Amino acid sequence: MTPEPPQEAFHDLLRGMAALSGNRVVADIARLYGKGAPPDLSIACNHKQIASKQWLVEALAETYPKPAGPVWVLGAWYGVLGALLLDDARLAIPGIVSLDIDPTCAPIGEILNHRHVQAGRFRAMTADMMAMDFAAQSPAPGLVINTSCEHLDDVPGWLATLPKGLPLVLQSNDYFREPDHRSCVPSLDAFREQAGLSEVWFAGARPTKNYTRFMLIGRR
Ligand SMILES: C[S@@+](CC[C@H](N)C(=O)[O-])C[C@H]1O[C@@H](n2cnc3c(N)ncnc32)[C@H](O)[C@@H]1O
């Protein structure tokens, strides 16, 4: 038998896994492969990426499950975190805005989250998070999530642009070797210091094979 090209093989395999597990996010990722996914979608959905997003969903369910307004996910890549957040019955999220500076991300995120786009609970946008004015947004954001802090040139400078008291979830890591990483931190304490939150409801470190990921939940 001739092997299938990778996209078709992923599509078939994921449709099978969706049927087996009944998981709606897997079904949506399978559907995306059927429509032509970018080559790095498999990286955005690999076990390490999913584990770090599940860690976030678990911690959020424990600490802040009912944000009072839309949840903004910054540096959101293909919108996988938005899909996981909207799929979790423990969270009451009015809607998600999934923002990335890379213009190829928004269309993919909206295909992945097509059910939520139709329900008016998900939209994707292309913008530089450093240039956003969150105080001017209406409705006001209920929570801002940034799992890409390590990609910013100036994390304290970005945090200074946010309204005081805004609930935040931040992730970073100590993967200094990765060329795209500009603001890695060597430890959880260093991340706490870099973020300078006024309240911290959760602080954790999650070691993986090549690096440790850090997460903070609290208020600016
Ligand atoms: C590799 S991805 C995600 C990495 C992150 N650790 C995660 O797991 O979510 C980093 C994303 O941040 C985006 N990004 C980097 N700088 C940004 C900025 N200033 N504004 C918005 N998005 C940005 C990139 O385009 C990319 O899609």
Side-chain angles (χ1 to χ4, degrees):
M1 207 187 281
T2 318
E4 284 179 299
Q7 289 264 340
E8 286 164 38
F10 278 147
H11 182 215
D12 272 351
L13 177 67
L14 286 166
R15 281 178 77 190
M17 295 303 107
L20 190 62
S21 63
N23 187 298
R24 290 171 295 189
V25 179
V26 178
D28 289 336
I29 295 169
R31 181 178 175 276
L32 178 53
Y33 270 105
K35 291 183 176 295
D40 59 344
L41 182 66
S42 60
I43 300 174
C45 296
N46 74 23
H47 68 281
K48 287 176 284 185
Q49 290 290 338
I50 294 294
S52 68
K53 309 288 180 298
Q54 285 178 318
W55 183 40
L56 189 157
V57 171
E58 289 300 318
L60 194 61
E62 291 290 318
T63 54
Y64 199 65
K66 294 180 182 173
V71 173
W72 286 65
V73 181
L74 310 182
W77 211 357
Y78 297 128
V80 173
L81 178 58
L84 296 178
L85 290 167
L86 289 173
D87 193 55
D88 197 295
R90 295 168 298 175
L91 304 175
I93 292 180
I96 299 245
V97 185
S98 194
L99 177 151
D100 201 284
I101 197 168
D102 175 351
T104 66
C105 292
I108 303 293
E110 293 204 338
I111 297 170
L112 174 61
N113 287 278
H114 66 109
R115 292 180 291 112
H116 308 302
V117 171
Q118 271 164 16
R121 294 183 71 208
F122 183 95
R123 74 181 165 99
M125 67 183 279
T126 302
D128 180 352
M129 70 174 97
M130 299 297 297
M132 291 295 300
D133 181 356
F134 286 100
Q137 297 300 319
S138 178
L143 174 69
V144 167
I145 300 177
N146 183 352
T147 60
S148 299
C149 288
E150 70 276 11
H151 287 263
L152 297 181
D153 285 326
D154 179 8
V155 173
W158 166 67
L159 284 161
T161 69
L162 304 176
K164 282 223 164 73
L166 180 67
L168 293 174
V169 180
L170 306 175
Q171 284 191 359
S172 189
N173 60 47
D174 63 359
Y175 203 10
F176 288 93
R177 270 183 296 142
E178 176 62 45
D180 284 346
H181 290 176
R182 292 140 188 195
S183 283
C184 286
V185 281
S187 65
L188 183 60
D189 280 346
F191 191 33
R192 286 178 86 123
E193 197 171 314
Q194 185 189 56
L197 300 181
S198 64
E199 290 177 28
V200 175
W201 309 327
F202 176 94
R206 210 175 165 278
T208 65
K209 194 168 154 230
N210 292 325
Y211 60 90
T212 298
R213 191 176 287 267
F214 308 111
M215 179 161 62
L216 298 171
I217 304 180
R219 271 187 211 285
R220 148 108 160 87

